[in-house]
Amino acid sequence: MLKLSPLCLAVMLLLQLPASAVQAVPVAATVDQALAARIDAVIAPHYKATDPGATVIVTKDGKTLLRKAYGMADVAAKVPMRAEMSLRLGSITKQFTSTAILMLAEEGKLAVTDPITKFLPDYPTQGKAITIEHLLTHTSGVVSYTSKPDFRANSTRDLSVSQMIDSFKNDPLEFAPGTRYAYNNSGYFLLGAIIEKVSGQSYAKFVEQRIFVPLGMTQTAYEGMERGPTSRAAGHSRSEGGFAPSPPLSMSLPYAAGSLVSTVDDLARWDAAVSSGKLLKAASWTQAFTPYKLADGKATAYGYGWMLGKLRGSDTIGHGGGINGFSTYALRVPGQKVYVAVLTNADGGLVQPALVANKAAAVAMGTPFPERQTIVLSADKLDGYAGVYQVDDKVSRTVRREQDHLLIQRSGRGPIALYPFADDSFFMKDMITIVKFSRNAKGVVTQVTLDDDGVESVSARTGDVAPERKAVTLPKAALDGFAGRFELMPGFVLELSRDGDKFFGQATGQQKFLLVPVSETAFYVKEVDAEVRFDKGNDQMVLLQGGRNMPGKRLK
């Protein structure tokens, strides 16, 4: 998905229109109302009436089972969400970009095996052959521009396609093309530039004229280039006081990686077109839905603009999106002829739309997820699970006991609470994943397995858990001595400040986070497992996160 920071925000204009002004997908008269009620029952608890919400559509066999809105379209204005409203798609955009590429390929204007320098001759590939297929499958090794520290600082600037490409093209490749999968927005940005070069049209105009207009997707467009009036939901971000409108984002930045807006009605039309083989030949659709194989023969879980997985034993084709003010997920289950789209108008603070989509699809398929009930385990038993579990040579999972429950934390990420429902088995609230611990013949826990609806990740226990960091109390004068602005990279600044007895940090374009002192010169950020350390003069600091050390110098 387009990984714009959930703390980097954007405002969306809310335009009210009567429902009759927006074309909707009609609900079939033969819809099973009991089934619709069961689907609604797994969705509704996730959205509060006074918070940002979602528009949701669930179809099966071409019939709409559920089409409903939840929560608020605009929290500040107290405007309820309506099912026909338009929201940002984020990285669901990528499947439209990949379809555009395959349309051009079928016309003989390019081949996915072509090197990108055939169309972007000035792009520096550093002696490597980067193909269009590498861009489609996130295997190019090109640095993703949205992960660069200066991205947030420039998020409101309108930049040309060439200016954006200049911002990442000279960065060293992260790996040899085709050897690894790493989700990458730069790849899809370059695909947009190739579409423009080959077609002679802007990306926005190409997808409009070649995809949206022929399919009757009247409410889908590159944001800012809508073809008629729309009823728009406002974007929100979580703030200390609840949810706040998101500040602006230039849509020149997401571009072909995440710039589209749409409705669940139009997305249902899109799925109907894909399911019936419109726009592309069958072979091209098959190619788009086939997992890409790396140079070593290992298959990824990604095709051309679609993520590939399983749900209750059935193959799935889907994609999520995360963009300023919005979070989305669209899921196809071809074998069951089920489609679900969940569009939410908050980029944090709500349940993940992927969970909602999976739960709704499972009900529509007749194989709902079981409801887990928490049981009580003794403190001694919980302590037996504590330890470090190795994922690979760079990543581990740490399990700790916190009072009457466990926390599991992957390197560089925040902790997640685990709740026991059986001996050695735990669930995570608002997640499908089940965590199972295994023991040796002596009854000692030796590994942990994360089971994501049948997709398992096993990590061996490699050691005891590190002692919990103990907070210390520093006088206000000492905290004031650390306060200031520290530049970690050009345009990316960490601002430190005291508020009462507490100390906070705020990076460029992000919200404040609490810094807990653990020594006279070190602070801990629990939410992301990071530390900030100072030298004795307080003019230099270093941010330690995810195995990286980022030094910062105090700005005068």
Side-chain angles (χ1 to χ4, degrees):
M1 64 190 69
L2 181 63
K3 295 187 178 177
L4 308 190
S5 167
L7 305 175
C8 174
L9 316 172
V11 171
M12 300 291 290
L13 174 64
L14 179 68
L15 175 62
Q16 298 226 33
L17 292 174
S20 60
V22 183
Q23 188 179 16
V25 175
V27 178
T30 57
V31 164
D32 184 337
Q33 296 300 325
L35 177 57
R38 291 196 296 273
I39 296 172
D40 180 54
V42 301
I43 298 173
H46 294 298
Y47 301 104
K48 295 180 180 179
T50 56
D51 286 347
T55 60
V56 181
I57 197 163
V58 182
T59 69
K60 186 173 184 179
D61 293 322
K63 298 177 181 178
T64 302
L65 299 179
L66 180 136
R67 173 183 178 269
K68 191 169 180 178
Y70 303 85
M72 286 285 171
D74 189 322
V75 171
K78 295 182 171 56
V79 177
M81 186 74 83
R82 299 197 307 277
E84 69 271 13
M85 283 182 164
S86 173
L87 292 83
R88 284 181 175 166
L89 294 184
S91 283
I92 293 176
T93 297
K94 289 181 171 66
Q95 58 199 243
F96 296 97
T97 301
S98 65
T99 299
I101 287 287
L102 290 173
M103 293 173 79
L104 293 170
E106 286 189 354
E107 294 168 8
K109 296 178 179 178
L110 58 79
V112 297
T113 54
D114 285 338
I116 64 172
T117 48
K118 181 175 180 179
F119 309 101
L120 307 173
D122 296 330
Y123 194 89
T125 59
Q126 302 166 42
K128 305 293 184 179
I130 301 176
T131 66
I132 290 175
E133 187 173 50
H134 289 144
L135 303 182
L136 288 165
T137 57
H138 303 288
T139 59
S140 68
V142 174
V143 171
S144 185
Y145 67 95
T146 53
S147 67
K148 298 184 65 173
D150 60 350
F151 172 76
R152 299 181 186 95
N154 295 317
S155 62
T156 59
R157 294 180 59 197
D158 291 329
L159 299 174
S160 68
V161 172
S162 60
Q163 285 175 320
M164 279 298 300
I165 293 175
D166 286 346
S167 74
F168 61 79
K169 71 179 185 181
N170 293 313
D171 292 331
L173 293 178
E174 295 184 327
F175 50 84
T179 63
R180 277 178 51 195
Y181 167 89
Y183 192 88
N184 187 319
N185 288 306
S186 294
Y188 273 77
F189 200 99
L190 292 170
L191 289 172
I194 291 171
I195 291 168
E196 293 193 351
K197 183 71 175 289
V198 173
S199 70
Q201 293 180 293
S202 70
Y203 170 80
K205 189 58 67 174
F206 185 92
V207 292
E208 173 192 302
Q209 294 185 357
R210 299 292 304 275
I211 300 177
F212 306 148
V213 170
L215 298 183
M217 299 173 65
T218 60
Q219 301 298 305
T220 306
Y222 192 117
E223 185 177 323
M225 301 182 186
E226 293 83 354
R227 302 186 302 284
T230 60
S231 180
R232 185 72 58 78
H236 300 81
S237 250
R238 188 76 179 179
S239 65
E240 293 179 15
F243 288 93
S246 32
L249 166 74
S250 169
M251 295 310 287
S252 67
L253 275 64
Y255 184 53
S259 62
L260 300 183
V261 294
S262 189
T263 65
V264 292
D265 293 332
D266 267 7
L267 290 179
R269 293 186 179 91
W270 168 240
D271 176 68
V274 174
S275 299
S276 59
K278 292 183 179 179
L279 298 180
L280 295 172
K281 296 176 182 177
S284 294
W285 284 122
T286 298
Q287 192 175 19
F289 302 147
T290 300
Y292 178 76
K293 287 188 177 180
L294 300 173
D296 62 4
K298 293 181 180 178
T300 68
Y302 203 94
Y304 294 174
W306 269 274
M307 296 175 176
L308 310 169
K310 294 275 188 181
L311 178 66
R312 314 307 278 157
S314 295
D315 291 333
T316 62
I317 304 168
H319 214 290
I323 191 169
N324 308 15
F326 300 84
S327 186
T328 62
Y329 200 82
L331 176 71
R332 304 181 65 235
V333 191
Q336 302 286 334
K337 297 183 179 179
V338 167
Y339 180 76
V340 181
V342 180
L343 307 181
T344 73
N345 63 328
D347 53 28
L350 298 181
V351 65
Q352 290 293 320
L355 173 70
V356 177
N358 277 284
K359 289 174 71 172
V363 175
M365 293 162 58
T367 54
F369 287 94
E371 293 295 326
R372 309 288 183 183
Q373 299 297 323
T374 303
I375 64 173
V376 177
L377 297 180
S378 68
D380 287 344
K381 191 155 192 176
L382 292 175
D383 285 338
Y385 302 113
V388 178
Y389 299 82
Q390 207 65 34
V391 177
D392 55 36
D393 58 346
K394 295 182 179 179
V395 177
S396 63
R397 291 187 173 98
T398 300
V399 176
R400 305 177 188 272
R401 178 173 70 88
E402 184 172 281
Q403 299 179 353
D404 60 350
H405 64 276
L406 294 180
L407 295 176
I408 188 168
Q409 185 167 17
R410 185 183 171 105
S411 302
R413 299 183 185 175
I416 300 174
L418 300 180
Y419 300 90
F421 66 90
D423 281 351
D424 299 336
S425 296
F426 296 74
F427 68 94
M428 305 174 182
K429 288 185 178 179
D430 292 336
M431 295 184 72
I432 292 171
T433 306
I434 300 301
V435 178
K436 304 174 183 177
F437 293 91
S438 301
R439 301 173 181 272
N440 60 18
K442 296 181 179 180
V444 177
V445 174
T446 57
Q447 70 179 30
V448 64
T449 300
L450 273 67
D451 184 342
D452 189 11
D453 191 31
V455 179
E456 295 186 342
S457 172
V458 181
S459 302
R461 188 174 186 272
T462 57
D464 295 330
V465 65
E468 188 70 45
R469 296 176 176 91
K470 294 187 180 296
V472 301
T473 301
L474 296 181
K476 294 179 180 179
L479 296 177
D480 289 338
F482 296 121
R485 301 174 70 248
F486 294 80
E487 186 176 54
L488 301 176
M489 291 187 69
F492 188 64
V493 174
L494 181 63
E495 185 168 357
L496 307 174
S497 61
R498 178 179 63 82
D499 187 353
D501 295 328
K502 295 182 178 180
F503 199 56
F504 293 91
Q506 185 171 21
T508 301
Q510 302 185 27
Q511 289 180 336
K512 284 185 178 181
F513 52 86
L514 181 65
L515 285 161
V516 179
V518 292
S519 76
E520 292 183 351
T521 58
F523 295 79
Y524 174 44
V525 187
K526 184 176 182 180
E527 287 73 13
V528 293
D529 192 20
E531 281 192 15
V532 173
R533 298 177 185 171
F534 294 88
D535 64 7
K536 292 183 179 180
N538 295 351
D539 286 332
Q540 299 278 347
M541 54 78 65
V542 61
L543 172 66
L544 297 86
Q545 183 179 355
R548 295 177 60 195
N549 295 351
M550 296 182 64
K553 186 175 181 180
R554 183 185 293 274
L555 296 174
K556 304 298 184 183

